[in-house]
Structure formats: C-alpha cells, structure tokens
Amino acid sequence: MTATARKAQPASEAKPLTEPVMTTATVVALPKPMRSTFRPQAILAAAARNIVPPLVVVLIILGVWQIACSHPGASLPAPSQIWTDSADLITSPFFNNGPQDIGLAWRVLISLERVAIGFGLAAFVGVILGAVVGQSVWAMRGLDPIFQVLRTVPPLAWLPLSLAAFRDSNPSAIFVIFITSIWPVIINTAVGVRNIPDDYRNIARVLRLNQLEFFFRIMVPAAAPYIFTGLRIGVGLSWLAIVAAEMLTGGVGIGFFIWDAWNSSRLSDIIVALVYIGVTGFILDKLVAFVGTIVTRSN
Amino acid sequence: MTSYLKIDHIDKSFERGGVRTDVLKDVSLTIEKGEFVSIIGHSGCGKSTLLNLIAGLTRVTSGAILLGNTEVNAPGPERAVVFQNHSLLPWLTVYENVNLAVSKVFAGKKSKTEKHDWVMNNLDLVQMAHAKDKRPAEISGGMKQRVGIARALAMEPKILLLDEPFGALDALTRAHLQDAVMEIHARLGNTMIMITHDVDEAVLLSDRIVMMTNGPAARIGEVLDVPIPRPRDRIALSADRTYLKSREAVLKFLYERHRFVEAAE
C-alpha cells in the first residue's frame, strides 16, 4: 500500500513540469557518500569481526592450559606461572642490561638482521637463476633436477658444511638462511618466466629490446606474481632456519636465547620466546605479501 | 626498379617429431609503397604464418623476403605488428606502453620533449590521448586495439602489419576502428598488410586482396584489385557496383572454389 503510494507521487508531480524539468533535472540533492568521513561504528564493527573471534579462542586456550598445568608437579608452566617468571620479558622487550641480558625484541632484531642478509642474497641470486632456468630450455634441463634434489635437504644439514667452509658462526648462519630460502625463489621465478605470454616476447623482439631491457621491462613485471609467491615461501623458510641455526651457532639471536633458556631450565622464558618468534614470522609473511600486492597491483 | 616489399618464392614448413608439415608453398608477392593489402583465407591456411614471416618473427624455410634492399631475417621496428589480442603490457599505462616503443626506437634520435610529443601525437591519431594514464585493464577492447595501433605507428614503421586486428571486437567497434585505420592510411600514406577473415573488411580497406588457398602447402590463389576511389564511405559503398563485384569475387573464391573442408585436418 505504502509502496505504491510512494511510487505514484513523483510521477504525478513530474507531469506538469515536463518542459522545465529538462533543464533543472540535474539539481538533485543526493545524500553525500560517506566514504571520506570517519565512521567509528564501521571501524569498530570491522575490528569486532576480525579481532574478537581469535581473542576468544586465545582466552579459551589459556584457560584450558591454566587448568591442565596448575596442579603441583606439572611438567610445563601454566600461564600464571609464566607471568610471574617472565613478566619482564613480556612487558619490556627493549631493556638492555649488558651483553647477554637484553630484551627479546633486541634478540629478534639481531636474528632479523641475519635473515635480511641471507634472504636478501637468496632473493637476488634466486630471481636471476630462476630467470635463466625459465628462459633457457638447456639450463632448465641441466639445473632443474639438481635444484629439485638440493631443495629437499633440511636447513640444518647444511650447517656443519658451512661451519667448515666459513669457520665462523655468523656467516654460517647466514649461509644456512640463504641456501634454505633460495629454492622456492628459483623455482617460482622459473615458472613465472616460462609463463610469460608469447605476445610479450614478440613485442620485445619487434622492439629489439636487449637482454637487460627485456629482463627489467618485461620479464620481472610479467613474472612478479610468481616471484613474490616464491619470496613469501622463502622468507617463511628462512625464519624457520635462523632459529634452528642459532640454537647451534650461539650468539645473541632469539634462537640461541631458547637454547640458553633450556640449558638453565627457564621454561617460561622459552614459551615467551616462542610467541615472539611466531608473531615475527607472521609479520614477515604479511610484509612480503603486502609488498607483493603493491608491486603487482597493476597486473 | 625493385618494389617496396618483395616476397620471393618462399616456402615455410615446420618439423615436429620428424614429421614435416608444409604450411606455405611457393608464395610470391610484391607490394608497393603506400599500398593497403589484405590477406584473406580460411583458418589454418597459413595467413598468420605469412605475416609472421614478413615480421621476421619466424624464419622462411626457403626463398627470401626483401624490404627495400634488405633481407628480412629478424623482427624489427620498421615492420611494426598490431597483434590480434592487442598485447599491451598490463603493468604499464597507455602512455607508457606507447612510450616503451618510442623511447627504444628513437633512443638518441629525439630529445625527451620530442619523444613525449611523438607519443601524444600518436595517441591523438587514434583518439586515445584522453586515456593516457589508464591501464589496459581499465579500457575497452576497442580502445586497447587503438593503443596497439598507436604503439605500432609510433615506431614509424616502413610497413605496418595487422594480424586480424579487429577479430576480437564486436561489429560496431570494428566499424569504428576500420574507419580509424582508413583515416590514418589516408593521412600518413603507410604501407599496410592486414590479415583478415572478414570479406567486407577486406574489400572496404584494401587496394588489393590476396586470397590464399587452403593448407597444408597453401599458395596464393588469386590477387584481386579493388579499384574503388578513396576516401571510401561504408554506407555509400553498400550499393556501389565495384564494391559488390569485388565482394562477390572474394566470396566465390572462398566458398566455391576453395571451400574449407574441416575433415581435411
């Protein structure tokens, strides 16, 4: 009833106005789109959708954990125990009380520095090797089987060899990062390069682009989505490898911190460090994915 | 006197797994400067192969292709190609796509502002200057093909090769682009070779129509002159006697004497 009445109204109004409406019809006051204005309700709603469910799950896990480990003689510390043992590690990540007593954020940063060097080298060498393998049938036939074998070698299996070769723990750890994270970069880049449409290659041939121009103007942008898939897998692997490598090589990284804590039976500290490692790995992964979406947005 | 483009007794065959397939057999054709030549034939007759040979993207098996006095044996910007599916680079804007060609072809020959003017000049020619900052994904199929043509023209080619340039477009857009190509041809006097399977398009645009027999081992079956004065207008031509006769000749060639037999594949 109301719907028909509403529909009929503008029609009856418009009738006597046919002529002038032609010129004034553009002046219609539409409600302004609220896109640019700040809407706290919408932001809160989005936050609630994304943050509340994991928060609830974490609380449930902590609750179950607390119940399971609070009886006397439990082999692992309960959350309340962790808080009493290691509150300083949780609340002040950036303290610095001398060479071996520093906040976990510092340790994470030191590990990240090694990852940055090792992974940066792996990304650089991996993209170039991947481009060669993807571009040349013979390079693929020769190198691909070797890559497929080497990529299955676990990161730590490289460590004794690299210790023997570099005779120092820091370059050895960096080498382990490099050798762990390079394979997915190579393999994904090669697939991306192999999938460059023939049309793009023909354009390059008609324009007589040289190898270098082809690499930067066509190959890298065309294969960028694949390259970033490889980089994302690679950065995850390198974070896995650094913690393991540091446990064996020592130093001040987050991996060695866990080993050190185990040797002095500080189980609570280990659990706090695990959370740091997990959060850092998560951020690293999101960071590479974010750079990837920005770079490949136009594809 | 040598002709502008001379295709001299070329054969093309592909070998795969020890099996030799003849695609083109003894094809000869000369094209004069400023001519618009269409190559028409059923699908699979090797007309695209012929264009790729002229472009230098594939090599002839025997015979030779001469542009001016130089033999064609590699691709180059003096034989610019407009590809069927536009093949613009999706990560570059319209301007950057044309500029890629201009900055490469005119490296060291034009100043920075001259290059910019030349890019805009060519975008103007295809009426795409307004979309210079758009990316290929943001413009329509017809607009992409316009940019593809602008990119090819911007190389200042001796000969422009169009590989079924309007094949993927709807009929109305196709008509617009045909008019645009005719206008460009009239204004710049380029030599153009176009592959098509559309009889009306061939008759409307061409000075000569090269009709190919069916493959394998396709030959040039017949070459038809289209003596319709330019500028041509599609509406006036629809009742023009020369137009209708030319159209009939092509249709007869394609559907009476060289019917496409699918079972022959």
Side-chain angles (χ1 to χ4, degrees):
Chain A
M1 187 59 212
T2 46
T4 47
R6 234 182 262 156
K7 250 186 210 168
Q9 217 174 8
S12 59
E13 265 183 2
K15 257 189 184 166
L17 287 169
T18 352
E19 251 341 281
V21 154
M22 298 300 280
T23 50
T24 56
T26 47
V27 193
V28 177
L30 288 169
K32 272 188 184 168
M34 297 283 280
R35 203 174 300 155
S36 57
T37 45
F38 178 71
R39 284 188 303 166
Q41 274 175 331
I43 291 170
L44 275 179
R49 262 199 310 279
N50 293 318
I51 293 173
V52 171
L55 215 60
V56 170
V57 173
V58 166
L59 285 177
I60 292 172
I61 291 174
L62 285 177
V64 172
W65 181 3
Q66 181 69 36
I67 293 163
C69 295
S70 57
H71 64 89
S75 53
L76 293 175
S80 58
Q81 182 68 34
I82 293 172
W83 179 256
T84 45
D85 288 349
S86 317
D88 58 333
L89 291 178
I90 300 168
T91 51
S92 54
F94 285 103
F95 71 83
N96 190 344
N97 303 332
Q100 268 303 333
D101 190 14
I102 55 176
L104 283 184
W106 290 119
R107 294 184 184 270
V108 165
L109 282 176
I110 288 160
S111 296
L112 276 178
E113 189 191 329
R114 295 197 178 115
V115 167
I117 299 171
F119 176 68
L121 276 174
F124 180 75
V125 178
V127 168
I128 290 173
L129 272 180
V132 170
V133 172
Q135 189 73 337
S136 145
V137 179
W138 281 105
M140 190 190 78
R141 284 182 193 157
L143 291 170
D144 194 57
I146 297 170
F147 291 164
Q148 297 295 347
V149 170
L150 288 182
R151 81 186 173 91
T152 62
V153 175
L156 283 189
W158 292 102
L159 192 61
L161 264 189
S162 77
L163 278 172
F166 294 105
R167 295 163 195 281
D168 189 8
S169 65
N170 199 37
S172 303
I174 289 171
F175 175 77
V176 169
I177 305 289
F178 170 82
I179 205 75
T180 307
S181 55
I182 195 170
W183 310 114
V185 180
I186 293 178
I187 291 166
N188 280 281
T189 305
V191 171
V193 168
R194 231 172 292 155
N195 283 337
I196 295 175
D198 278 342
D199 285 333
Y200 300 171
R201 293 182 185 278
N202 284 341
I203 291 289
R205 291 175 65 196
V206 169
L207 285 174
R208 294 204 179 122
L209 297 184
N210 60 38
Q211 294 283 320
L212 211 62
E213 287 168 325
F214 181 71
F215 181 78
F216 284 111
R217 298 296 199 99
I218 311 268
M219 200 190 276
V220 169
Y226 291 88
I227 294 175
F228 273 97
T229 306
L231 290 178
R232 204 172 157 186
I233 301 170
V235 82
L237 286 180
S238 61
W239 190 237
L240 291 182
I242 186 66
V243 174
E246 281 176 351
M247 282 183 154
L248 298 183
T249 58
V252 278
I254 188 84
F256 179 70
F257 175 81
I258 290 180
W259 192 244
D260 193 38
W262 165 244
N263 283 332
S264 39
S265 305
R266 299 194 311 265
L267 286 183
S268 298
D269 288 4
I270 295 181
I271 290 167
V272 175
L274 287 188
V275 173
Y276 270 89
I277 291 171
V279 169
T280 311
F282 176 79
I283 292 170
L284 272 184
D285 181 65
K286 291 292 166 215
L287 197 71
V288 175
F290 175 71
V291 174
T293 47
I294 286 186
V295 171
T296 60
R297 188 173 39 188
S298 51
N299 293 26
Chain B
M1 180 62 204
T2 51
S3 33
Y4 196 60
L5 179 81
K6 189 175 167 90
I7 299 168
D8 195 9
H9 298 285
I10 57 163
D11 294 337
K12 178 66 193 175
S13 53
F14 290 105
E15 242 183 75
R16 177 159 256 172
V19 184
R20 211 177 124 105
T21 327
D22 288 323
V23 182
L24 296 171
K25 192 86 193 151
D26 198 29
V27 173
S28 290
L29 182 69
T30 56
I31 289 168
E32 298 306 324
K33 196 170 186 205
E35 244 190 324
F36 195 115
V37 175
S38 288
I39 299 172
I40 198 167
H42 293 291
S43 52
C45 75
K47 52 191 194 297
S48 281
T49 307
L50 181 57
L51 195 87
N52 282 342
L53 290 172
I54 301 170
L57 291 168
T58 43
R59 300 285 300 271
V60 293
T61 309
S62 69
I65 298 174
L66 293 163
L67 179 63
N69 287 319
T70 47
E71 189 180 350
V72 170
N73 46 25
E78 78 277 3
R79 281 161 283 117
V81 187
V82 177
F83 296 95
Q84 178 171 10
N85 51 353
H86 68 80
S87 41
L88 300 178
L89 304 177
W91 54 87
L92 299 180
T93 63
V94 163
Y95 179 90
E96 288 164 342
N97 262 290
V98 179
N99 190 43
L100 176 68
V102 170
S103 58
K104 179 65 189 167
V105 174
F106 297 103
K109 291 178 204 156
K110 281 187 196 289
S111 73
K112 211 175 167 192
T113 45
E114 279 174 332
K115 281 181 199 159
H116 169 79
D117 291 345
W118 183 237
V119 172
M120 291 314 292
N121 181 19
N122 281 285
L123 285 175
D124 273 329
L125 207 58
V126 294
Q127 290 141 38
M128 284 301 296
H130 63 91
K132 74 183 179 71
D133 295 323
K134 293 237 166 80
R135 290 185 195 276
E138 299 166 338
I139 59 179
S140 70
M143 289 164 126
K144 283 180 206 162
Q145 201 51 281
R146 281 175 190 269
V147 179
I149 293 170
R151 176 175 62 185
L153 286 172
M155 300 177 206
E156 227 168 33
K158 287 182 178 162
I159 189 159
L160 188 66
L161 306 170
L162 304 123
D163 187 2
E164 292 188 35
F166 316 128
L169 304 176
D170 64 274
L172 288 173
T173 314
R174 191 184 302 182
H176 278 299
L177 273 169
Q178 288 165 350
D179 290 342
V181 167
M182 274 199 285
E183 204 190 302
I184 289 165
H185 182 239
R187 202 185 314 175
L188 305 180
N190 306 68
T191 315
M192 299 194 190
I193 300 179
M194 179 178 72
I195 302 290
T196 181
H197 47 232
D198 181 332
V199 177
D200 290 291
E201 180 173 285
V203 178
L204 178 69
L205 295 177
S206 318
D207 298 313
R208 279 193 299 157
I209 301 173
V210 174
M211 292 174 259
M212 307 272 298
T213 65
N214 286 331
R219 298 170 291 107
I220 291 179
E222 216 172 286
V223 179
L224 180 81
D225 279 307
V226 186
I228 304 171
R230 294 177 188 271
R232 296 172 181 176
D233 173 62
R234 67 175 69 241
I235 298 161
L237 282 183
S238 60
D240 184 274
R241 285 197 44 200
T242 332
Y243 178 82
L244 293 173
K245 264 176 77 180
S246 308
R247 198 169 172 275
E248 193 190 356
V250 180
L251 285 171
K252 274 191 170 157
F253 178 91
L254 288 176
Y255 297 107
E256 273 185 19
R257 274 172 287 156
H258 296 277
R259 271 185 90 94
F260 182 53
V261 191
E262 201 114 31
E265 278 291 301

